Amino acid sequence: MNIMGRADDKVLEGILKTMLTIRLFEERVAEMAARKEVRCPVHLYVGQEAIASAVCANLNREDYVFSTHRSHGHYIAKQGDLNSLMAEIHGKEAGCSKGYGGSMHVVDVNAGFMGSSAIVAGTIPIAAGAALTSFLTKNNSVVSVAFFGDGATDEGVFYETVNFAALYKLPILFVCENNLFSTHLPDFKRQSNTKVYERVKNFKIRTRRINGNDPIKIYNASKWLIERIKRGEGPALLECMTYRWLAHVGHMEDLDVGHRKKEDVEFWKKKCPIKFLKRVLFRRGKISERQYEDMKKGVEAEIERAVSFAQQSPLPLAKTEKAAF
Amino acid sequence: MRMLSYSCAINEAFHQIMESDERVFQIGVGVNTPWYVGNTLTGLLDRFGERRMIDTPVSECGITGISIGAALTGLRPILTFPRMDFMYYAMDQIFNHAAIYNFSLGGHAPVPLVIRAIINRGGEQAAQHSQALQAFFMHAPGFKVVMPSNAYDAKGMLMAAVKQDDPLIFIEDRWLYEQESDVPQQGYTVPLTGAKVVSEGKDATIVASSYMVEEAKKAVESLRERQVQVELIDLRAVKPIDHGTVLASVRKTGRLLVVDGGWETGGIAAEVGFLVANLGFQDLKAPIERIALPDSPAPASCLLEKAYYPTSQTIVEKVLQLISNH
Ligand SMILES: Cc1ncc(C[n+]2csc(CCOP(=O)(O)OP(=O)(O)O)c2C)c(N)n1
């Protein structure tokens, strides 16, 4: 596949800001989870920010995004409301799901973020259903994006969905965030062929495996694919190779339980997508250290506003004994 | 006395089962990590190796069918679902195959499969990480369904389950894992049918199962302080249900409260309530009552969660009502 064009520097600046927002948001959530101010389980996206940020930089508000248990990054990248996300994670009434869902069940329909599920691969067919709506009523002008991990490709429903989408040439982009693990199990202990794009290629759709920590490559590749998807050329799969820095769930690292090697974590931390893009933009003279610091301060302030918003919102109460829920 | 926790009793049962029966192996998502199964499978990987401790891809439907096939051809798989919520993907293999295979094939193809189904809820985990699906397995024909409420029964019922030839659903609740009882080290079995009278009383009967037995026990204690004598029955097996024990108790007390950790509609209470209304009608002094989860998915937020799950206090109040009104 020929990936053409060079990402506009303004777009890259936007992606940098999105990644930074996700990173700082997740670090803040981790802090609060450690202090038990956040009680629901949180699956943090630290290290994987490039994928959601760069893919969603190609999307309009009307385009759909569907997500997983590791939902915050996708929600933020699709421009979901930050305050309601933070409030949801706190289990508050002002949360995007009114406190009924917590971190794994978030939604912002106005932003085209159509929900997340805690069941592995759960939203993949649902994303294809949204693509079916676009195919039937919108002439494919709206694309549906399903984000999911490599673990989701263990499930049969993933292949059923890819086949159906390929058969009807549905406008859907499957984005597999391959972080090499499904909770404690590495890919090679679960998959006879660990290359997701190779397995899916046989459904006769466009597939590509790329560096998931390089936001520029991801942006270009997804742009190219989405343009073709919207032309009615059918679905595509983008497999982004990455790594999560923190534990599968929670604020700790998984190192303590022996699931991963410290060297691996260190290795991947050196490939930080934020540092990478910052460096590129510095080199191109597009952003100065000062501007970066200002951006960071702005993002921090936005996150602190979200935290206060969440803290000030009341906890939802069960209304009456019987019809409480 | 040898006090052992529920989860350790399960672990001990597995060590003994796997040591004595080479046909037995474990399979499921996360069987080799405490992250999924607590300490119930500790030490088994080291002892029996990966061939008998198969930690699988996230492929619930496939691995269930695979377990059925192995059971059909001479092995004794123990298939674990670390959460009942993850069983839905496998429902076709569970209900259309495991439950029916032998029946539809004229009894030529028994499926000695033990399915461990773990209830794991609370902690704001929300609707897809909290479900208690016993009613599904009671409803569809083809399974024995047990829900041991204490460490002693857990070990004994597990050892019995592996020795018999029918598909069986063994339901555990993580909230019971710390529960302790006197558990003999030697292997033993507990029958897979038959309820147990936990405490005797004359004023009302509570029928409970699994974790709700713990809550009910606390309620019985606190009611005793108020001079209310409650007979508590632990169903142990929710399919088949031991009619005799329940009916005999209601004959004595005339009042029935069924406590179920699953949803209200079509649950254990509906079944036990029908049984008593049908066969024990003349013994009833008051309408049958039930405590179960509201007909709603589990909410995340802490106060909602607190209101969602019944406790011993809910039981006490309900029994007092049951007694005072009639
Ligand atoms: C049907 C189902 N089975 C098992 C689980 C337990 N589980 C939660 S997340 C997860 C791993 C998912 O790995 P992957 O899809 O690669 O996403 P990642 O966590 O790496 O982002 C598993 C197995 C689940 N949530 N749903």
Side-chain angles (χ1 to χ4, degrees):
Chain A
M1 195 195 308
N2 182 15
I3 305 293
M4 291 171 301
R6 180 176 145 152
D8 180 78
D9 289 327
K10 270 280 159 250
V11 170
L12 293 184
E13 229 181 282
I15 294 175
L16 182 63
K17 184 168 176 213
T18 308
M19 292 198 296
L20 201 55
T21 308
I22 299 172
R23 171 71 54 91
L24 297 174
F25 185 94
E26 296 292 61
E27 286 176 351
R28 193 72 173 84
V29 171
E31 250 173 65
M32 292 186 291
R35 289 202 300 267
K36 301 211 164 37
E37 289 165 26
V38 160
R39 292 166 303 267
C40 69
V42 286
H43 301 77
L44 302 176
Y45 197 61
V46 178
Q48 305 184 198
E49 298 91 346
I51 304 164
S53 306
V55 170
C56 292
N58 290 294
L59 301 181
N60 303 320
R61 175 194 275 266
E62 303 76 53
D63 292 321
Y64 301 120
V65 162
F66 290 84
S67 173
T68 65
H69 55 287
R70 204 172 300 288
S71 65
H72 310 169
H74 308 137
Y75 177 106
I76 292 170
K78 193 63 172 56
Q79 310 296 313
D81 182 75
L82 211 60
N83 289 354
S84 353
L85 176 64
M86 191 61 100
E88 188 57 37
I89 296 168
H90 281 74
K92 296 298 185 76
E93 205 164 75
C96 57
S97 309
K98 302 185 180 147
Y100 282 72
S103 158
M104 297 191 281
H105 303 274
V106 296
V107 68
D108 188 339
V109 173
N110 288 330
F113 184 87
M114 302 306 289
S116 61
S117 167
I119 294 299
V120 169
T123 51
I124 300 175
I126 300 173
L132 182 63
T133 298
S134 173
F135 170 76
L136 292 176
T137 66
K138 296 177 183 152
N139 196 25
N140 300 317
S141 63
V142 164
V143 66
S144 181
V145 178
F147 286 101
F148 52 89
D150 49 300
T153 75
D154 293 3
E155 297 281 11
V157 69
F158 169 62
Y159 301 93
E160 296 176 23
T161 305
V162 171
N163 178 55
F164 185 94
L167 188 64
Y168 286 92
K169 292 204 181 322
L170 299 185
I172 179 168
L173 179 65
F174 298 101
V175 181
C176 178
E177 306 183 306
N178 191 338
N179 62 14
L180 310 172
F181 280 85
S182 168
T183 61
H184 62 302
L185 274 193
D187 53 0
F188 61 87
K189 290 218 157 187
R190 295 178 289 118
Q191 300 170 346
S192 63
N193 176 359
T194 57
K195 294 178 176 144
V196 176
Y197 80 103
E198 272 190 10
R199 274 183 266 142
V200 168
K201 202 156 59 184
N202 292 328
F203 287 92
K204 302 200 188 319
I205 66 170
R206 292 192 168 103
T207 69
R208 196 172 155 77
R209 179 184 250 204
I210 54 175
N211 175 356
N213 284 25
D214 181 339
I216 302 176
K217 284 214 175 89
I218 300 168
Y219 175 76
N220 286 332
S222 50
K223 182 177 168 60
W224 195 90
L225 291 170
I226 289 168
E227 278 167 10
R228 277 151 190 80
I229 290 169
K230 287 192 172 180
R231 269 186 232 148
E233 293 180 18
L237 174 129
L238 194 60
E239 180 183 10
C240 304
M241 303 307 294
T242 186
Y243 201 79
R244 72 174 147 71
W245 291 7
L246 297 177
H248 168 69
V249 59
H251 62 282
M252 312 269 283
E253 297 186 325
D254 272 345
L255 295 170
D256 45 327
V257 274
H259 295 154
R260 312 193 297 171
K261 290 203 215 89
K262 194 171 169 56
E263 306 91 82
D264 290 347
V265 181
E266 294 310 320
F267 171 82
W268 281 94
K269 280 189 178 171
K270 288 204 191 90
K271 305 219 271 179
C272 172
I274 296 175
K275 277 196 193 137
F276 168 85
L277 188 57
K278 190 176 129 192
R279 222 180 301 123
V280 170
L281 290 173
F282 276 174
R283 233 185 285 126
R284 290 191 193 165
K286 296 299 167 193
I287 182 172
S288 65
E289 188 64 59
R290 174 80 205 279
Q291 281 165 323
Y292 179 78
E293 283 310 314
D294 285 349
M295 179 193 279
K296 194 169 165 189
K297 278 200 197 103
V299 169
E300 277 165 353
E302 209 187 333
I303 291 170
E304 284 322 302
R305 275 196 298 278
V307 172
S308 327
F309 176 83
Q311 287 171 343
Q312 277 158 28
S313 168
L315 286 164
L317 292 171
K319 286 164 204 90
T320 64
E321 199 207 328
K322 269 281 171 186
F325 304 97
Chain B
M1 291 282 267
R2 177 174 175 270
M3 298 306 279
L4 204 60
S5 73
Y6 193 97
S7 56
C8 288
I10 289 174
N11 183 247
E12 188 169 275
F14 281 139
H15 274 276
Q16 293 172 357
I17 290 166
M18 291 182 73
E19 186 180 277
S20 66
D21 189 342
E22 287 201 337
R23 299 170 303 169
V24 176
F25 69 96
Q26 311 264 356
I27 181 166
V29 174
V31 294
N32 287 334
T33 169
W35 197 78
Y36 282 94
V37 290
N39 58 0
T40 59
L41 301 178
T42 302
L44 296 169
L45 178 63
D46 287 344
R47 236 181 120 187
F48 301 105
E50 281 191 344
R51 290 170 67 92
R52 290 179 72 191
M53 292 300 296
I54 305 178
D55 199 332
T56 71
V58 206
S59 310
E60 287 84 358
C61 184
I63 61 169
T64 303
I66 287 162
S67 303
I68 295 170
L72 192 63
T73 49
L75 298 184
R76 297 266 151 163
I78 294 166
L79 169 62
T80 295
F81 289 95
R83 290 177 189 276
M84 286 194 115
D85 315 67
F86 305 159
M87 298 177 84
Y88 289 117
Y89 271 135
M91 287 305 184
D92 172 69
Q93 285 297 328
I94 292 175
F95 289 127
N96 271 330
H97 295 89
I100 280 170
Y101 215 75
N102 194 31
F103 172 86
S104 297
L105 297 175
H108 293 296
V111 177
L113 170 64
V114 173
I115 299 180
R116 275 179 82 201
I118 303 175
I119 300 166
N120 187 351
R121 56 191 164 178
E124 299 201 355
Q125 296 182 92
Q128 293 170 337
H129 282 56
S130 61
Q131 298 177 59
L133 304 180
Q134 52 270 27
F136 284 67
F137 302 105
M138 288 168 66
H139 180 64
F143 290 109
K144 291 178 183 157
V145 187
V146 300
M147 299 185 78
S149 71
N150 59 75
Y152 178 87
D153 284 352
K155 179 174 174 185
M157 291 180 115
L158 205 44
M159 298 197 82
V162 178
K163 290 199 167 92
Q164 54 89 56
D165 292 334
D166 296 319
L168 181 140
I169 313 280
F170 187 93
I171 300 175
E172 301 161 29
D173 190 323
R174 288 285 286 246
W175 282 348
L176 280 170
Y177 274 17
E178 308 288 315
Q179 190 280 342
E180 289 191 347
S181 41
D182 186 6
V183 176
Q185 175 144 32
Q186 280 267 309
Y188 60 94
T189 60
V190 168
L192 296 166
T193 55
K196 187 171 96 182
V197 178
V198 179
S199 66
E200 294 197 16
K202 57 173 180 37
D203 299 325
T205 300
I206 295 178
V207 171
S209 45
S210 189
Y211 173 73
M212 291 321 284
V213 172
E214 281 295 292
E215 291 296 328
K217 276 200 229 163
K218 282 185 250 164
V220 167
E221 279 313 305
S222 112
L223 285 161
R224 183 168 296 144
E225 285 161 22
R226 301 179 199 216
Q227 321 306 325
V228 179
Q229 311 297 330
V230 176
E231 182 138 305
L232 173 58
I233 295 177
D234 175 0
L235 281 179
R236 297 207 280 201
V238 297
K239 191 158 192 185
I241 285 176
D242 171 1
H243 292 191
T245 305
V246 175
L247 289 168
S249 176
V250 174
R251 193 163 309 135
K252 193 161 70 171
T253 64
R255 295 182 183 89
L256 173 65
L257 167 64
V258 187
V259 185
D260 180 9
W263 292 297
E264 207 166 77
T265 300
I268 296 177
E271 189 54 34
V272 174
F274 168 78
L275 163 75
V276 172
N278 187 229
L279 297 176
F281 190 71
Q282 64 288 350
D283 301 321
L284 286 171
K285 296 180 197 153
I288 298 164
E289 281 291 355
R290 72 176 164 196
I291 291 173
L293 298 182
D295 279 325
S296 158
S301 189
C302 56
L303 296 183
L304 295 177
E305 209 175 43
K306 207 167 158 219
Y308 185 75
Y309 293 111
T311 61
S312 60
Q313 191 51 38
T314 329
I315 301 174
V316 168
E317 284 161 18
K318 192 63 104 183
V319 170
L320 291 175
Q321 257 176 37
L322 186 61
I323 281 172
S324 69
N325 288 351
H326 309 278

